[in-house]
Amino acid sequence: MTAPLLVAVVGSGPAGLYAAEALVKQAEGNVRVDVFDRLPTPYGLVRYGVAPDHKSIKSIARYLQKVLEDPAVRFFGCVELGRDMTRDDLLDCYDAVIYSTGAMVDRHLGIPGEDLPGSIAATDFVNWYCGHPDAADHTFDLSAEEVAVIGVGNVAVDVVRVLAKTSEELRQTDVPEHVLDALSQSRVKRVHMLGRRGPAQAKFTTKELRELGELPGVAVHVRPEDMELDPASAEAAENDRLVRGNVKVMNGWTQPPADDRPRRIDIRFWRAPVEIRGEGRVEELRVERTRLDENGRVTGTGEFESLPVGLVLRSVGYQSVALAGIPFDERAYVVPNEGGRILSASGEQVPREYVAGWIKRGPTGVVGTNKSDAAETVRNLLADVSPGDRRPTRKIEELLESRGLPVVTYDDWLRLDAAEVALAASLDRGERVKLARWEAMISACRHP
Ligand code: NAP
């Protein structure tokens, strides 16, 4: 039998691990897959993006764990492409490489005041409450009573929900202790969630939206005039399941909140952010009223309004970053590809290199979307590359050892995993409490 195909997968989020799973299944045993991550932990956005109170989505980690436990799959944590190894190293060590590094930076608004203290990328806030080690020392001033969240996608809904919940409601989740402490000091009472287009163009999904109305102690309001639909939007509200569901839920929130619940969420449409103002920090968000033009594009009306907010969270989408030496479309923020096969600037297939997940298709879809996406990439990879076509010239273990890299193995990760479970038990805080600081994480990996 020929030696098995050796494949490197860079990124151990859902896209990378679904790709590893597809490789094992589709290659029918004749494959070895090494999965790399720059973090000591696997699972990518399942661990560091899915909101802590969305436990059923988080439980996808248990499925992905089985992929890592397959004897044909190995995990190499704390190994970063571009810092610890290059693309050429990978091409020397493997028959093929799949890049699944996701989309971890925030998109910019490009408006004045965006960099004022108190204007925060949702990605930073999400990383912080999810216990990402790069955000462990971030601090957020939650002393303002009113805050704005820009964007009406599912990340915005997550951020709004976390801001609107009490710290007590988050106690039985995995948020790190220092995050829970900071949230317990929060004085936020009113969250404005702002869409630059109308309710029919909102990106959030109905299930996620509905949860806002179920939060105890929180009133949700949408202005009736914001819910007026132009003919195209009205048609979408008839025929498109997502729009129909969203519009129905929000139509139920148009009465002025009669009760005096302690916290309030205002969903505002037709408001585009134009400037963030303040002396030394955010004090006000200026928005322009918008409408759709005859081509369905959003346009300003010249009518402005200011919201007296002390914090602005910009939740306007993620974007991927270019990987050294790998083609990148600087406008679409993806690696140019056809079915996961990487294409050069001249449109030719780059041999032996593939992409999966958000770096392949952009930051869209739910976790499960990555399964079929990764399966497509793997089908194409296996159609192109066969075991024995060429033999890798170097061994990855030797390369990493020669560089003195303190690799985190799957067993090391299991020690960190167990430490988080034990911490939760000692604090009487549910299934897991995350360790968020690099030193604590690495120490838990090394010491049982
Ligand atoms: P998203 O769904 O693309 O939403 C981005 C939002 O930002 C849109 O409302 C967009 O409005 C708005 N926006 C973009 N540029 C803007 C600007 N310059 N000014 C004002 N608003 C602007 O992205 P996301 O919320 O980051 O979510 C990423 C992906 O993860 C999505 O597929 C999402 O469903 C998924 N996700 C799922 C869950 C879940 O299932 N529970 C949770 C979190 C994330 P326009 O439409 O007008 O551009």
Side-chain angles (χ1 to χ4, degrees), residues 224-303:
E225 61 271 27
D226 281 7
M227 291 302 297
E228 282 167 20
L229 302 179
D230 61 282
S233 300
E235 196 191 321
E238 284 270 305
N239 301 321
D240 183 303
R241 204 165 64 93
L242 172 83
V243 178
R244 187 167 60 237
N246 286 348
V247 166
K248 186 168 175 225
V249 169
M250 289 188 284
N251 274 333
W253 292 336
T254 51
Q255 298 297 322
D259 56 7
D260 54 352
R261 295 189 206 182
R263 274 153 288 118
R264 170 173 170 154
I265 297 167
D266 281 278
I267 308 177
R268 305 283 306 273
F269 293 104
W270 309 112
R271 301 288 185 286
V274 290
E275 187 176 358
I276 301 171
R277 292 176 169 174
E279 286 296 320
R281 61 162 300 109
V282 172
E283 288 169 351
E284 166 186 339
L285 171 67
R286 205 163 141 74
V287 294
E288 182 176 12
R289 221 197 135 100
T290 57
R291 62 178 177 81
L292 294 181
D293 66 15
E294 47 292 344
N295 301 314
R297 277 196 294 264
V298 69
T299 179
T301 60
E303 239 180 279

Side-chain angles (χ1 to χ4, degrees), residues 184-263:
S184 72
Q185 313 283 319
S186 166
R187 293 172 58 195
V188 174
K189 286 201 164 68
R190 188 167 181 182
V191 186
H192 304 267
M193 178 159 68
L194 302 167
R196 64 175 167 178
R197 299 189 288 160
Q201 289 79 39
K203 295 268 180 64
F204 42 58
T205 42
T206 311
K207 182 171 166 282
E208 278 60 33
L209 175 68
R210 200 179 282 122
E211 278 180 67
L212 297 180
E214 293 163 358
L215 297 176
V218 179
V220 187
H221 186 239
V222 189
R223 295 184 180 189
E225 61 271 27
D226 281 7
M227 291 302 297
E228 282 167 20
L229 302 179
D230 61 282
S233 300
E235 196 191 321
E238 284 270 305
N239 301 321
D240 183 303
R241 204 165 64 93
L242 172 83
V243 178
R244 187 167 60 237
N246 286 348
V247 166
K248 186 168 175 225
V249 169
M250 289 188 284
N251 274 333
W253 292 336
T254 51
Q255 298 297 322
D259 56 7
D260 54 352
R261 295 189 206 182
R263 274 153 288 118

Side-chain angles (χ1 to χ4, degrees), residues 12 37-44 47-48 75 77-78 133 408 413 416 420 435 441 445:
S12 70
D37 206 294
R38 75 178 187 88
L39 296 176
T41 55
Y43 312 133
R47 185 174 157 95
Y48 291 123
F75 177 67
C78 282
V408 165
W413 147 247
L416 166 54
E420 292 186 339
L435 293 175
M441 294 170 80
C445 285

Side-chain angles (χ1 to χ4, degrees), residues 109 152-155 158 196-197 203 208 315-317 358 363-365:
L109 287 171
V152 282
N154 276 332
V155 171
D158 282 346
R196 64 175 167 178
R197 299 189 288 160
K203 295 268 180 64
E208 278 60 33
S315 180
V316 295
W358 279 4
T364 59

Side-chain angles (χ1 to χ4, degrees), residues 55 167-168 170-175 177 180 420-433:
K55 290 191 181 167
S167 59
E168 202 41 45
L170 292 166
R171 231 189 100 71
Q172 294 302 310
T173 70
D174 64 10
V175 300
E177 278 287 275
L180 201 62
E420 292 186 339
V421 172
L423 179 62
S426 72
L427 296 167
D428 193 19
R429 277 199 49 201
E431 282 172 33
R432 166 190 309 278
V433 169

Side-chain angles (χ1 to χ4, degrees), residues 22 140 237 262 297 310 319 327 333 372:
F140 299 97
R297 277 196 294 264
Q319 68 192 30
Y333 294 100
S372 50

